[in-house]
Amino acid sequence: MKNNFNHLVLGALFTLGLLSIWAFKPEGTKETSSYEYKQFSTIESIIPGGMGRSRIISTDQSGTLVEKDLLNFYSMVGINFGNISTNDKLIVDKINEYSIGGWELYQVTTGSSTNQSNGNTNGGIFITRYLFRKAK
């Protein structure tokens, strides 16, 4: 009887040990999903007088460059808030297009660059990159 009790205790301890090893695996060894990524960028010109070029840049399924015109921030009379509003709608439409395709907006990165000569700023760009991901 004592021998059976010892076997029972050893079996229980062995089972608990296996369960604890399975339940408390280090983070790096747990299963993770892999993702595929897709990105588009917006380049918005801040060159006075409406002389700049603003675009949404993406690639299609075959890797071909796709450009969609955006309006410039400035017109001949200064900042054009109507153009900014139109650009916002076009950018949100592109985000919605990706979202409908099953892509999750994962990260947004922004930056700007200005052109300077003789201490005067004569324009520049705003660039925003929208990174999407989808589980494989």
Side-chain angles (χ1 to χ4, degrees), residues 39-46 53-58 70 73 87 91 107-114 124-131:
Q39 178 173 287
F40 75 85
S41 300
T42 58
I43 296 97
E44 296 179 277
S45 174
I46 53 173
R53 297 183 328 159
S54 299
R55 304 275 188 277
I56 294 175
I57 306 292
S58 61
L70 292 173
F73 279 176
N87 288 355
I91 293 165
Q107 184 177 34
V108 178
T109 306
T110 61
S112 64
S113 176
T114 57
I125 62 167
F126 286 112
I127 185 166
T128 307
R129 296 182 188 256
Y130 302 85
L131 182 63

Side-chain angles (χ1 to χ4, degrees), residues 53-121:
R53 297 183 328 159
S54 299
R55 304 275 188 277
I56 294 175
I57 306 292
S58 61
T59 53
D60 63 14
Q61 299 285 11
S62 67
T64 303
L65 174 69
V66 177
E67 295 186 29
K68 183 171 183 83
D69 286 342
L70 292 173
L71 301 173
N72 296 321
F73 279 176
Y74 286 100
S75 62
M76 293 303 286
V77 294
I79 295 174
N80 188 321
F81 295 104
N83 286 1
I84 294 170
S85 176
T86 299
N87 288 355
D88 288 350
K89 182 183 179 329
L90 291 169
I91 293 165
V92 169
D93 287 349
K94 187 72 168 175
I95 291 170
N96 286 335
E97 173 190 324
Y98 279 42
S99 181
I100 289 168
W103 296 92
E104 168 196 4
L105 181 57
Y106 178 65
Q107 184 177 34
V108 178
T109 306
T110 61
S112 64
S113 176
T114 57
N115 299 325
Q116 293 187 353
S117 62
N118 298 331
N120 294 325
T121 301

